[in-house]
Amino acid sequence: LFGQDQAPAPVFKEGDTWQFNITRTVGNTSSTELLEGTYELTFTQGNVKLYQVSGSQKDEMPIQPDGATQILLNLLGKSEQLQGLKFPLSVGQEWTWEYKYRVPGGRRDIRAYVKANVVGIEQVTTPAGSFKAYKLVSSSRTELGPNVTTSTRFYSPDTKSIVKASAVNSANPGSTQTELIKFTPGQ
């Protein structure tokens, strides 16, 4: 796959299942945010279903047109709002996109501008295993000011997903970390 220098768009199979752990930190303490904890994504009947996992309990999450559920779908390149993966992926590839979102309780949409680059291929280890992965670096800013969020993500064709990601904002000392903790291929 990597000898071809490209990762084609993934073909999902019925029952493909991913579990991700997302942690957020602010300085040395953890913050409570909507997207924090363990999430499961399952490909079934042509769609992705999202679940929040707590111990042995799984609660299905309704997919919203923007916000947190789009961030989860973006881990598989399935977000309609976010274009974080643009297939086929190849080293040196660059693309940009814009999207709108609304802060919970906000009165208006905010426009965000993103630039992404595929900068290389690296070996990445997560609780789910060790994978050769395309390294993507993106920067985003909003119309509200100069603050920039820089994200580093690793996409593995073996799991058809992001296997590891981190994001930091220039105005906030905290970070968000995402790791694939389990991948189960479908039929």
Side-chain angles (χ1 to χ4, degrees):
L1 211 56
F2 286 92
Q4 300 170 5
D5 294 324
Q6 285 192 343
V11 176
F12 298 106
K13 294 181 181 170
E14 183 70 21
D16 280 348
T17 303
W18 303 260
Q19 277 195 353
F20 295 94
N21 190 49
I22 301 174
T23 56
R24 291 179 178 264
T25 57
V26 178
N28 293 328
T29 61
S30 187
S31 75
T32 304
E33 295 282 331
L34 176 62
L35 265 188
E36 188 166 25
T38 302
Y39 297 89
E40 183 173 292
L41 290 74
T42 301
F43 188 76
T44 180
Q45 299 176 348
N47 294 300
V48 176
K49 291 197 178 233
L50 305 176
Y51 302 90
Q52 186 163 20
V53 179
S54 180
S56 61
Q57 184 174 338
K58 287 192 324 187
D59 295 315
E60 188 169 356
M61 300 170 62
I63 294 175
Q64 303 296 328
D66 63 4
T69 58
Q70 293 299 311
I71 292 168
L72 290 169
L73 290 173
N74 196 38
L75 294 169
L76 306 181
K78 297 292 281 180
S79 170
E80 292 182 19
Q81 178 193 32
L82 306 173
Q83 299 168 12
L85 296 170
K86 189 172 182 179
F87 295 101
L89 290 177
S90 59
V91 175
Q93 179 182 4
E94 293 184 7
W95 67 98
T96 60
W97 76 93
E98 296 179 16
Y99 67 96
K100 293 180 186 176
Y101 68 96
R102 185 171 295 189
V103 176
R107 293 181 175 218
R108 69 176 190 93
D109 289 341
I110 298 169
R111 185 174 301 278
Y113 308 91
V114 185
K115 180 178 180 181
N117 298 291
V118 181
V119 298
I121 297 172
E122 294 184 15
Q123 192 73 25
V124 178
T125 300
T126 76
S130 186
F131 309 97
K132 272 194 173 181
Y134 286 83
K135 181 178 181 180
L136 298 96
V137 177
S138 61
S139 60
S140 63
R141 63 177 181 77
T142 70
E143 63 189 349
L144 299 179
N147 299 334
V148 174
T149 298
T150 302
S151 299
T152 303
R153 296 170 299 134
F154 294 90
Y155 174 84
S156 169
D158 292 336
T159 65
K160 304 177 261 190
S161 71
I162 298 295
V163 292
K164 193 175 230 178
S166 64
V168 294
N169 184 285
S170 61
N172 181 339
S175 66
T176 303
Q177 306 291 323
T178 303
E179 277 193 312
L180 179 68
I181 56 176
K182 184 178 181 182
F183 170 64
T184 306
Q187 302 298 334

